[in-house]
Amino acid sequence: IRAEALNELGRTPEAVSAINVIRNRSNVAGLSAADFNQASFRDQILLERLHELIYEAKRRQDQIRFGTFTSGAWPEKQPSEAFRVLMPVPQSQLQSNNALVQNPGY
């Protein structure tokens, strides 16, 4: 998260350093700040979060935040419909509160 925030503030070299702390802990070769600009480092951050947080169920929210959830991130995945970014409101909640409305598409 720190690297993502630094990158969005235009401080990409500092963001690369923050990622390298994690990569060094994992005995993975560090990245060079000279190889990235702000836009290309966003993709790298998403990839790093995939590797580091693979068992923590963060991928869907990361892809929604980065705008890749509905695009089909790998060749076998078909693009999702845009309404899938939002979850459906449970029927029991809709029945107990008349002010709620179902999210579009569900």
Side-chain angles (χ1 to χ4, degrees):
I1 295 292
R2 176 181 164 83
E4 185 179 342
L6 288 169
N7 190 54
E8 293 306 313
L9 290 171
R11 297 163 51 185
T12 302
E14 291 177 67
V16 173
S17 295
I19 290 291
N20 282 338
V21 169
I22 296 168
R23 292 176 68 91
N24 291 338
R25 177 195 44 85
S26 303
N27 294 320
V28 177
L31 301 171
S32 171
D35 294 337
F36 298 100
N37 59 31
Q38 186 180 28
S40 67
F41 199 61
R42 279 187 196 112
D43 295 334
Q44 185 65 37
I45 290 170
L46 185 60
L47 181 62
E48 293 293 331
R49 287 184 59 83
L50 168 65
H51 294 156
E52 186 68 19
L53 304 171
I54 194 157
Y55 294 113
E56 297 186 27
K58 304 286 186 189
R59 186 68 173 168
R60 181 179 186 276
Q61 286 304 114
D62 285 348
Q63 287 187 308
I64 289 170
R65 191 172 67 254
F66 280 78
T68 61
F69 182 70
T70 59
S71 65
W74 55 87
E76 296 83 19
K77 182 178 185 270
Q78 297 298 318
S80 297
E81 298 90 352
F83 75 89
R84 299 249 185 237
V85 170
L86 297 175
M87 296 285 196
V89 177
Q91 188 63 36
S92 61
Q93 297 301 312
L94 290 171
Q95 291 171 341
S96 67
N97 185 344
N98 292 338
L100 290 177
V101 294
Q102 186 60 272
N103 287 324
Y106 289 102

